[in-house]
Amino acid sequence: MSIELISTVVGLILTLMVFSYLIGDNPLFRFAVYIFIGSASGYAAAVVWHYVLTPKLIEPLTDPSQLLLLIVPLILSITLLAKLSPRLSWVGNFAMAVLVGVGAATAIGGALIGTLIPQAEASMNAFNLGAASNNVDAIYRMIESSVMLAGTVLTLVYFQFGAKHTTGGSTRRNAVIEFLAWLGRIFIAITLGVLFAGVYMAALTAMIERLSSVVNFLKSLLGL
Amino acid sequence: MNNLGGPSESTAEEPAPEKQDSAQDDLSWLNNLGGAFSSQDTQTPESSTSKPFRTAPLNELTEETKNDTTPDWLRNAMEEPSMPAPGDLSMDWFKEQDKAKDIPPALSTDDDDSSSEPVPALTDIDLPVNDAPSFSAQDVDSMFNIDMPDWLTQDSGGPESPLSKSTKTPANAGESLDPVELPSWVQAMRPVDSAIEGTSATEESEQVPEREGPLAGFRGIIPSAPIGSSLRPKAFSLKLQVTDEQETGASLIEQIIVGEAAAHPKKSTKAASSQRALRWMISILFLGILSVIIGIGSQSLGIFPPGRVSELSNLIGAIPDGSPVLLVMDYDPSVAGELAAAAGPVLDQMALVRHSTFTFLAMSPNGPAMVEHLMLNTGIGRDVSAGGLGYQAEANYFNLGFLPGGSAGVLGFVSAPERAFPQVNVDGFTEFEAVVLLTDSAESGRVWVEQLEFAKQARPEIASKPLIVVSSAQAGPMLEPYVSSGQVDVLVNGLSDAAKYEFVNQSRPGMARAYWDSFGVGLMLAVLSIVLGGIWNFFIGIRERRAIADLG
């Protein structure tokens, strides 16, 4: 029996065990989940040791020329282990501060240069009709840009919850803001519908892939 | 009166009382008190403060100071203090003072008391022992540091003073009490009328003057009304002063609390069982129909390729032959089937047409395992005899492994990939002719887009490298804006885009096309389920409203 056949059979059995959740929670489903979590965690630990710790920390320590460069990350990584103990967790605070500071600075810089500025420029350039190839394209770009701008503005207006007190003691938003917020709800509903459709299509594709493997295996067994 | 500190001269001028009883009732002691303080009134404020313990009259003081060569500071220190030192807890000092007080002045051997002038005995004045302190008046003044009232400080030696007149007729004091003129300080100490509300001048005139006691002759000192009745504090209402808005908010919070505390009726078993049956029915319907479609291998549904597909073909066609391409594995095993189907046509064309060398980089620890799964499912890693392209590891594709560090790790790799992975098959990031990002998350995909844009600021040559994103259908809509802005060259969103591109790519490798019919049927089943479920609930709602209307 080849390795490929064994892996196919194991995959088929585990797939049916997970599908058994359709009739409710049962030991077969939980067993499959435990196997997945255990194997994934073990594999992740092996990957981290093999791809990260060994080539980037352990092996360079044997080279005296790199020892001075690695002494700082080595100490910081060791202090992170102190986080396991509530009494000694303060020892790892500096290493955590380095991680959070570097990570936050990188993310903020990337978000500013990679998302905020380019997206704002793209929103403004969408109204540049000079880039259109013909009149039909210009009209299409104009409509697309207007819808995009309206969706952005109306969605932002929807989250404007500022209100003023009325004579009756209750609070109420401005009538214009209320109407624009109602339009913004439509755009938000459309966006949520798109996201739901995307999630459904992803799940449907995954299910089709699993059903295809099961059906093809059965067809191969039956010689069809 | 020595106990009060009065000088002997002033006391000597007083006539001796004829009767002891009458001496108890008259106010002659006030005269003595006034005489005592009248002598002090002649002293300057500086002297009274610098010599707080002097008890002799000022004229005697001046006689003493004429012959006294001792400095003031030394004399004050040599004098016996009239009060015990602070912290001296011994009571011997008070005993000695009491002994001196008990000795009559006539029997005293003190030089000051040896004068022949008559001195009234202490027994003539009925003062309690506790009320007769041994301090001099200056001691009292220095201790309390208060301003003496004007009637105490006025000259009592004059023959026209009222007090001297009263002291001259002590015999008549016990028979009738004439109305006296109240001193200013007594008038100032009459808060009774002002404290009692509603007391007017007419009421004051109606009040009866006191006939006995030290307040005899005074009118209106003791209020006729019972104390406490008019001074009773006003009764305030305990009702909270709240606005209508606050009441509305309070009632709303109360309703929420009551609603949370109230026990909700448990759903009936009938409804739960019907829901379970509905779920089973829908599951069986989906699994049965899709399995049949997959089993029969239906490929009857058509594919309409949009314009984006041609852009991807042109982009791949521009990649130099045999050049390295970076593939970022950024998805979980749960979507491995979808991503393999979506990335299959892109990788197949790169491998088949451009013979590109693939360099895989995993963003999750499970990513390295996904590389082999992807290469086998797309057929690129299979042997040529098995219908694959025969790509071999470490020859045609390289698996660098897991890249830790998130966004910082991405930036580090883009800056110097050879430093992050010494085994990488390139000398710099710019040697990659294209970057293909396979992701199932908009957030992690955004990190790569942002960090590449960040690196372009320092190295503009990176901007010429195309970025192709192959995403799961759940992340595609969130990554679409980066395509509109030009930061992503081409986006392959899920199975639908993959099937369209596969149709252009001579139906290779065929995974997306094999799933296409079942995918379309599954979508239609979902649409039908949602529409039918909505219509069913609509009519159920109408029936329930009619039932409620009939009951109402």
Side-chain angles (χ1 to χ4, degrees), chain B residues 420-472:
Chain B
F421 294 97
Q423 73 275 19
V424 71
N425 57 327
V426 295
D427 293 331
F429 191 81
T430 55
E431 289 194 10
F432 292 119
E433 293 297 331
V435 177
V436 180
L437 174 62
L438 288 77
T439 181
D440 65 337
S441 170
E443 293 299 318
S444 56
R446 187 168 59 88
V447 168
W448 268 94
V449 175
E450 290 177 348
Q451 297 308 318
L452 282 175
E453 196 73 24
F454 195 67
K456 289 175 185 176
Q457 307 296 321
R459 303 167 67 184
E461 62 271 19
I462 297 178
S464 61
K465 309 301 179 184
L467 174 61
I468 302 169
V469 177
V470 179
S471 71
S472 170

Short mmCIF file of all heavy atoms in Angstrom, two decimals, chain B residues 420-472:
data_model
loop_
_atom_site.label_atom_id
_atom_site.label_comp_id
_atom_site.label_asym_id
_atom_site.label_seq_id
_atom_site.Cartn_x
_atom_site.Cartn_y
_atom_site.Cartn_z
N ALA B 420 17.67 37.07 6.09
CA ALA B 420 16.64 36.31 6.79
C ALA B 420 16.77 34.82 6.54
O ALA B 420 16.58 34.00 7.45
CB ALA B 420 15.25 36.81 6.38
N PHE B 421 17.09 34.45 5.31
CA PHE B 421 17.25 33.04 4.94
C PHE B 421 18.53 32.93 4.12
O PHE B 421 18.56 33.24 2.92
CB PHE B 421 16.05 32.54 4.12
CG PHE B 421 14.76 32.52 4.90
CD1 PHE B 421 13.86 33.56 4.80
CD2 PHE B 421 14.46 31.44 5.72
CE1 PHE B 421 12.68 33.54 5.50
CE2 PHE B 421 13.27 31.42 6.43
CZ PHE B 421 12.38 32.46 6.33
N PRO B 422 19.60 32.50 4.75
CA PRO B 422 20.87 32.39 4.01
C PRO B 422 20.80 31.40 2.85
O PRO B 422 21.58 31.52 1.90
CB PRO B 422 21.85 31.91 5.09
CG PRO B 422 21.24 32.33 6.38
CD PRO B 422 19.77 32.23 6.18
N GLN B 423 19.87 30.45 2.90
CA GLN B 423 19.79 29.46 1.83
C GLN B 423 18.95 29.91 0.66
O GLN B 423 18.68 29.11 -0.26
CB GLN B 423 19.22 28.14 2.38
CG GLN B 423 17.73 28.15 2.69
CD GLN B 423 17.41 28.69 4.07
OE1 GLN B 423 18.23 29.37 4.67
NE2 GLN B 423 16.22 28.38 4.57
N VAL B 424 18.51 31.15 0.64
CA VAL B 424 17.65 31.63 -0.43
C VAL B 424 18.42 31.64 -1.75
O VAL B 424 19.65 31.82 -1.79
CB VAL B 424 17.11 33.04 -0.09
CG1 VAL B 424 18.21 34.09 -0.17
CG2 VAL B 424 15.96 33.41 -1.01
N ASN B 425 17.69 31.43 -2.83
CA ASN B 425 18.31 31.28 -4.14
C ASN B 425 18.50 32.61 -4.87
O ASN B 425 18.74 32.62 -6.08
CB ASN B 425 17.47 30.35 -5.02
CG ASN B 425 16.04 30.85 -5.17
OD1 ASN B 425 15.50 31.44 -4.25
ND2 ASN B 425 15.45 30.62 -6.32
N VAL B 426 18.38 33.72 -4.19
CA VAL B 426 18.57 35.03 -4.80
C VAL B 426 19.54 35.83 -3.94
O VAL B 426 19.74 35.54 -2.75
CB VAL B 426 17.24 35.79 -4.95
CG1 VAL B 426 16.32 35.08 -5.91
CG2 VAL B 426 16.58 35.98 -3.60
N ASP B 427 20.10 36.87 -4.56
CA ASP B 427 21.03 37.74 -3.83
C ASP B 427 20.33 39.01 -3.32
O ASP B 427 20.95 39.80 -2.62
CB ASP B 427 22.19 38.13 -4.74
CG ASP B 427 23.07 36.94 -5.08
OD1 ASP B 427 23.14 36.01 -4.23
OD2 ASP B 427 23.65 36.92 -6.18
N GLY B 428 19.13 39.19 -3.69
CA GLY B 428 18.40 40.37 -3.24
C GLY B 428 16.93 40.25 -3.64
O GLY B 428 16.56 39.43 -4.49
N PHE B 429 16.13 41.06 -3.00
CA PHE B 429 14.68 40.95 -3.26
C PHE B 429 14.34 41.35 -4.69
O PHE B 429 13.37 40.85 -5.28
CB PHE B 429 13.92 41.84 -2.27
CG PHE B 429 12.44 41.60 -2.27
CD1 PHE B 429 11.88 40.54 -1.58
CD2 PHE B 429 11.61 42.43 -3.01
CE1 PHE B 429 10.51 40.32 -1.60
CE2 PHE B 429 10.24 42.23 -3.02
CZ PHE B 429 9.69 41.17 -2.32
N THR B 430 15.13 42.22 -5.25
CA THR B 430 14.84 42.68 -6.61
C THR B 430 15.07 41.60 -7.66
O THR B 430 14.66 41.77 -8.81
CB THR B 430 15.69 43.91 -6.93
OG1 THR B 430 17.07 43.58 -6.72
CG2 THR B 430 15.30 45.08 -6.06
N GLU B 431 15.72 40.52 -7.29
CA GLU B 431 15.91 39.43 -8.25
C GLU B 431 14.63 38.64 -8.49
O GLU B 431 14.53 37.91 -9.49
CB GLU B 431 17.03 38.50 -7.77
CG GLU B 431 18.42 39.11 -7.88
CD GLU B 431 19.51 38.06 -7.73
OE1 GLU B 431 19.18 36.85 -7.73
OE2 GLU B 431 20.68 38.45 -7.59
N PHE B 432 13.67 38.77 -7.56
CA PHE B 432 12.37 38.14 -7.80
C PHE B 432 11.63 38.94 -8.88
O PHE B 432 11.41 40.14 -8.74
CB PHE B 432 11.53 38.09 -6.53
CG PHE B 432 12.07 37.17 -5.47
CD1 PHE B 432 12.45 37.66 -4.23
CD2 PHE B 432 12.19 35.81 -5.71
CE1 PHE B 432 12.95 36.81 -3.26
CE2 PHE B 432 12.71 34.95 -4.73
CZ PHE B 432 13.08 35.46 -3.50
N GLU B 433 11.26 38.26 -9.94
CA GLU B 433 10.59 38.95 -11.04
C GLU B 433 9.11 39.16 -10.76
O GLU B 433 8.48 39.98 -11.45
CB GLU B 433 10.77 38.15 -12.34
CG GLU B 433 12.21 38.12 -12.82
CD GLU B 433 12.72 39.51 -13.17
OE1 GLU B 433 11.91 40.37 -13.55
OE2 GLU B 433 13.95 39.74 -13.02
N ALA B 434 8.58 38.47 -9.83
CA ALA B 434 7.17 38.65 -9.46
C ALA B 434 6.95 38.12 -8.05
O ALA B 434 7.72 37.27 -7.56
CB ALA B 434 6.25 37.92 -10.44
N VAL B 435 5.95 38.65 -7.41
CA VAL B 435 5.57 38.19 -6.07
C VAL B 435 4.12 37.73 -6.15
O VAL B 435 3.24 38.49 -6.57
CB VAL B 435 5.71 39.32 -5.02
CG1 VAL B 435 5.25 38.83 -3.66
CG2 VAL B 435 7.14 39.81 -4.96
N VAL B 436 3.89 36.48 -5.76
CA VAL B 436 2.54 35.91 -5.75
C VAL B 436 2.17 35.66 -4.30
O VAL B 436 2.85 34.89 -3.59
CB VAL B 436 2.47 34.61 -6.56
CG1 VAL B 436 1.04 34.05 -6.52
CG2 VAL B 436 2.92 34.84 -7.99
N LEU B 437 1.13 36.33 -3.84
CA LEU B 437 0.69 36.20 -2.45
C LEU B 437 -0.56 35.34 -2.40
O LEU B 437 -1.59 35.69 -2.98
CB LEU B 437 0.41 37.61 -1.88
CG LEU B 437 -0.21 37.66 -0.49
CD1 LEU B 437 0.73 37.04 0.54
CD2 LEU B 437 -0.53 39.10 -0.11
N LEU B 438 -0.47 34.23 -1.71
CA LEU B 438 -1.61 33.33 -1.52
C LEU B 438 -2.11 33.51 -0.10
O LEU B 438 -1.41 33.13 0.86
CB LEU B 438 -1.21 31.86 -1.75
CG LEU B 438 -0.94 31.42 -3.20
CD1 LEU B 438 0.42 31.88 -3.70
CD2 LEU B 438 -1.01 29.89 -3.30
N THR B 439 -3.26 34.07 0.07
CA THR B 439 -3.73 34.42 1.41
C THR B 439 -5.22 34.14 1.55
O THR B 439 -5.98 34.17 0.58
CB THR B 439 -3.46 35.91 1.72
OG1 THR B 439 -3.90 36.22 3.03
CG2 THR B 439 -4.18 36.81 0.72
N ASP B 440 -5.60 33.86 2.78
CA ASP B 440 -7.02 33.69 3.11
C ASP B 440 -7.50 34.76 4.09
O ASP B 440 -8.61 34.69 4.59
CB ASP B 440 -7.26 32.31 3.72
CG ASP B 440 -6.55 32.14 5.05
OD1 ASP B 440 -5.56 32.87 5.29
OD2 ASP B 440 -6.97 31.29 5.86
N SER B 441 -6.64 35.71 4.38
CA SER B 441 -6.98 36.75 5.35
C SER B 441 -6.66 38.12 4.77
O SER B 441 -5.56 38.32 4.23
CB SER B 441 -6.21 36.55 6.66
OG SER B 441 -6.35 37.66 7.51
N ALA B 442 -7.61 39.01 4.86
CA ALA B 442 -7.37 40.36 4.35
C ALA B 442 -6.32 41.08 5.18
O ALA B 442 -5.55 41.90 4.64
CB ALA B 442 -8.68 41.15 4.35
N GLU B 443 -6.26 40.80 6.47
CA GLU B 443 -5.30 41.49 7.33
C GLU B 443 -3.87 41.11 6.99
O GLU B 443 -3.00 41.97 6.83
CB GLU B 443 -5.61 41.16 8.80
CG GLU B 443 -6.93 41.73 9.30
CD GLU B 443 -6.95 43.25 9.22
OE1 GLU B 443 -5.94 43.87 9.54
OE2 GLU B 443 -7.99 43.80 8.79
N SER B 444 -3.62 39.81 6.89
CA SER B 444 -2.25 39.38 6.58
C SER B 444 -1.87 39.76 5.15
O SER B 444 -0.70 40.07 4.87
CB SER B 444 -2.11 37.88 6.79
OG SER B 444 -3.07 37.18 6.02
N GLY B 445 -2.85 39.73 4.24
CA GLY B 445 -2.56 40.19 2.89
C GLY B 445 -2.23 41.67 2.85
O GLY B 445 -1.36 42.13 2.10
N ARG B 446 -2.92 42.43 3.68
CA ARG B 446 -2.67 43.87 3.75
C ARG B 446 -1.27 44.17 4.26
O ARG B 446 -0.63 45.15 3.85
CB ARG B 446 -3.72 44.52 4.65
CG ARG B 446 -3.68 46.03 4.69
CD ARG B 446 -4.93 46.55 5.37
NE ARG B 446 -5.06 46.04 6.73
CZ ARG B 446 -4.53 46.64 7.79
NH1 ARG B 446 -3.84 47.74 7.64
NH2 ARG B 446 -4.69 46.13 9.00
N VAL B 447 -0.77 43.30 5.16
CA VAL B 447 0.58 43.51 5.69
C VAL B 447 1.61 43.45 4.57
O VAL B 447 2.51 44.30 4.49
CB VAL B 447 0.88 42.45 6.77
CG1 VAL B 447 2.36 42.45 7.12
CG2 VAL B 447 0.06 42.72 8.02
N TRP B 448 1.47 42.51 3.67
CA TRP B 448 2.43 42.40 2.57
C TRP B 448 2.31 43.58 1.63
O TRP B 448 3.32 44.12 1.16
CB TRP B 448 2.21 41.08 1.82
CG TRP B 448 3.07 39.99 2.36
CD1 TRP B 448 2.73 39.07 3.30
CD2 TRP B 448 4.43 39.73 2.02
NE1 TRP B 448 3.78 38.23 3.56
CE2 TRP B 448 4.86 38.61 2.78
CE3 TRP B 448 5.34 40.31 1.14
CZ2 TRP B 448 6.13 38.09 2.69
CZ3 TRP B 448 6.63 39.77 1.06
CH2 TRP B 448 7.01 38.68 1.83
N VAL B 449 1.09 43.99 1.34
CA VAL B 449 0.91 45.14 0.46
C VAL B 449 1.54 46.39 1.09
O VAL B 449 2.25 47.16 0.43
CB VAL B 449 -0.58 45.36 0.17
CG1 VAL B 449 -0.78 46.63 -0.64
CG2 VAL B 449 -1.16 44.17 -0.56
N GLU B 450 1.31 46.58 2.36
CA GLU B 450 1.82 47.78 3.03
C GLU B 450 3.34 47.77 3.12
O GLU B 450 4.00 48.80 2.87
CB GLU B 450 1.20 47.89 4.43
CG GLU B 450 -0.28 48.23 4.41
CD GLU B 450 -0.87 48.25 5.80
OE1 GLU B 450 -0.18 47.79 6.73
OE2 GLU B 450 -2.00 48.72 5.95
N GLN B 451 3.91 46.63 3.48
CA GLN B 451 5.36 46.59 3.66
C GLN B 451 6.08 46.69 2.31
O GLN B 451 7.18 47.26 2.23
CB GLN B 451 5.77 45.31 4.40
CG GLN B 451 5.21 45.24 5.82
CD GLN B 451 5.52 46.48 6.64
OE1 GLN B 451 6.63 47.02 6.58
NE2 GLN B 451 4.54 46.93 7.41
N LEU B 452 5.48 46.14 1.27
CA LEU B 452 6.08 46.33 -0.05
C LEU B 452 6.03 47.80 -0.46
O LEU B 452 7.00 48.33 -1.03
CB LEU B 452 5.36 45.46 -1.07
CG LEU B 452 5.72 43.96 -1.08
CD1 LEU B 452 4.84 43.20 -2.06
CD2 LEU B 452 7.20 43.77 -1.46
N GLU B 453 4.93 48.45 -0.17
CA GLU B 453 4.82 49.87 -0.47
C GLU B 453 5.82 50.67 0.37
O GLU B 453 6.40 51.66 -0.12
CB GLU B 453 3.39 50.34 -0.18
CG GLU B 453 3.03 51.67 -0.80
CD GLU B 453 2.86 51.58 -2.31
OE1 GLU B 453 2.56 50.48 -2.79
OE2 GLU B 453 3.05 52.61 -2.97
N PHE B 454 6.00 50.24 1.61
CA PHE B 454 6.95 50.91 2.50
C PHE B 454 8.38 50.75 1.97
O PHE B 454 9.19 51.68 2.01
CB PHE B 454 6.82 50.32 3.90
CG PHE B 454 7.47 51.13 4.98
CD1 PHE B 454 7.00 52.40 5.31
CD2 PHE B 454 8.57 50.64 5.66
CE1 PHE B 454 7.60 53.14 6.30
CE2 PHE B 454 9.17 51.38 6.66
CZ PHE B 454 8.69 52.63 6.98
N ALA B 455 8.68 49.54 1.45
CA ALA B 455 10.04 49.29 0.93
C ALA B 455 10.28 50.01 -0.37
O ALA B 455 11.44 50.34 -0.70
CB ALA B 455 10.25 47.78 0.75
N LYS B 456 9.21 50.29 -1.11
CA LYS B 456 9.38 51.01 -2.37
C LYS B 456 9.87 52.43 -2.15
O LYS B 456 10.45 53.05 -3.05
CB LYS B 456 8.06 51.05 -3.15
CG LYS B 456 7.65 49.71 -3.73
CD LYS B 456 6.28 49.80 -4.37
CE LYS B 456 5.81 48.42 -4.86
NZ LYS B 456 4.43 48.47 -5.41
N GLN B 457 9.60 52.99 -0.99
CA GLN B 457 10.07 54.34 -0.72
C GLN B 457 11.59 54.41 -0.72
O GLN B 457 12.18 55.40 -1.16
CB GLN B 457 9.52 54.82 0.64
CG GLN B 457 8.02 54.70 0.79
CD GLN B 457 7.28 55.59 -0.20
OE1 GLN B 457 7.69 56.70 -0.46
NE2 GLN B 457 6.19 55.07 -0.75
N ALA B 458 12.23 53.36 -0.20
CA ALA B 458 13.69 53.34 -0.13
C ALA B 458 14.30 52.72 -1.38
O ALA B 458 15.41 53.09 -1.78
CB ALA B 458 14.15 52.59 1.12
N ARG B 459 13.59 51.78 -1.99
CA ARG B 459 14.13 51.08 -3.16
C ARG B 459 13.08 51.11 -4.26
O ARG B 459 12.23 50.22 -4.36
CB ARG B 459 14.51 49.65 -2.78
CG ARG B 459 15.52 49.59 -1.63
CD ARG B 459 15.63 48.20 -1.07
NE ARG B 459 16.22 47.28 -2.04
CZ ARG B 459 16.35 45.97 -1.83
NH1 ARG B 459 15.92 45.45 -0.69
NH2 ARG B 459 16.89 45.20 -2.75
N PRO B 460 13.08 52.11 -5.09
CA PRO B 460 12.04 52.25 -6.12
C PRO B 460 12.06 51.12 -7.14
O PRO B 460 11.04 50.89 -7.82
CB PRO B 460 12.38 53.59 -6.79
CG PRO B 460 13.24 54.31 -5.81
CD PRO B 460 14.00 53.27 -5.08
N GLU B 461 13.15 50.37 -7.27
CA GLU B 461 13.18 49.29 -8.24
C GLU B 461 12.21 48.17 -7.88
O GLU B 461 11.82 47.37 -8.75
CB GLU B 461 14.60 48.72 -8.38
CG GLU B 461 15.17 48.11 -7.12
CD GLU B 461 15.91 49.12 -6.27
OE1 GLU B 461 15.68 50.32 -6.46
OE2 GLU B 461 16.71 48.71 -5.41
N ILE B 462 11.79 48.12 -6.62
CA ILE B 462 10.82 47.10 -6.23
C ILE B 462 9.46 47.38 -6.86
O ILE B 462 8.67 46.46 -7.12
CB ILE B 462 10.71 47.04 -4.68
CG1 ILE B 462 12.05 46.63 -4.08
CG2 ILE B 462 9.63 46.05 -4.24
CD1 ILE B 462 12.06 46.60 -2.57
N ALA B 463 9.19 48.65 -7.13
CA ALA B 463 7.88 49.01 -7.68
C ALA B 463 7.64 48.41 -9.05
O ALA B 463 6.50 48.21 -9.47
CB ALA B 463 7.75 50.53 -7.75
N SER B 464 8.71 48.08 -9.76
CA SER B 464 8.54 47.50 -11.10
C SER B 464 8.19 46.02 -11.06
O SER B 464 7.84 45.45 -12.09
CB SER B 464 9.83 47.70 -11.91
OG SER B 464 10.92 47.05 -11.28
N LYS B 465 8.29 45.41 -9.90
CA LYS B 465 7.97 43.99 -9.79
C LYS B 465 6.47 43.82 -9.58
O LYS B 465 5.89 44.44 -8.68
CB LYS B 465 8.73 43.36 -8.61
CG LYS B 465 10.22 43.64 -8.62
CD LYS B 465 10.90 43.13 -9.89
CE LYS B 465 12.39 43.44 -9.90
NZ LYS B 465 13.05 43.03 -11.17
N PRO B 466 5.82 42.97 -10.40
CA PRO B 466 4.38 42.82 -10.26
C PRO B 466 4.02 42.05 -8.99
O PRO B 466 4.74 41.15 -8.56
CB PRO B 466 3.99 42.04 -11.51
CG PRO B 466 5.23 41.32 -11.92
CD PRO B 466 6.37 42.19 -11.51
N LEU B 467 2.88 42.45 -8.40
CA LEU B 467 2.35 41.78 -7.22
C LEU B 467 1.01 41.15 -7.61
O LEU B 467 0.06 41.85 -7.96
CB LEU B 467 2.16 42.78 -6.07
CG LEU B 467 1.47 42.22 -4.82
CD1 LEU B 467 2.28 41.07 -4.21
CD2 LEU B 467 1.26 43.34 -3.78
N ILE B 468 0.96 39.84 -7.54
CA ILE B 468 -0.26 39.08 -7.86
C ILE B 468 -0.78 38.48 -6.56
O ILE B 468 -0.02 37.83 -5.82
CB ILE B 468 0.05 37.96 -8.87
CG1 ILE B 468 0.64 38.57 -10.15
CG2 ILE B 468 -1.20 37.15 -9.19
CD1 ILE B 468 1.21 37.54 -11.10
N VAL B 469 -2.04 38.70 -6.29
CA VAL B 469 -2.66 38.19 -5.07
C VAL B 469 -3.69 37.14 -5.44
O VAL B 469 -4.61 37.42 -6.21
CB VAL B 469 -3.32 39.33 -4.25
CG1 VAL B 469 -4.02 38.76 -3.03
CG2 VAL B 469 -2.27 40.35 -3.83
N VAL B 470 -3.50 35.96 -4.91
CA VAL B 470 -4.48 34.88 -5.04
C VAL B 470 -5.11 34.71 -3.66
O VAL B 470 -4.43 34.29 -2.71
CB VAL B 470 -3.83 33.57 -5.50
CG1 VAL B 470 -4.88 32.47 -5.61
CG2 VAL B 470 -3.11 33.77 -6.82
N SER B 471 -6.37 35.08 -3.56
CA SER B 471 -7.00 35.12 -2.23
C SER B 471 -8.19 34.18 -2.18
O SER B 471 -8.76 33.79 -3.21
CB SER B 471 -7.46 36.54 -1.92
OG SER B 471 -8.58 36.88 -2.71
N SER B 472 -8.52 33.86 -0.95
CA SER B 472 -9.77 33.13 -0.71
C SER B 472 -10.94 34.08 -0.98
O SER B 472 -10.80 35.31 -0.92
CB SER B 472 -9.80 32.64 0.73
OG SER B 472 -11.07 32.14 1.05
#
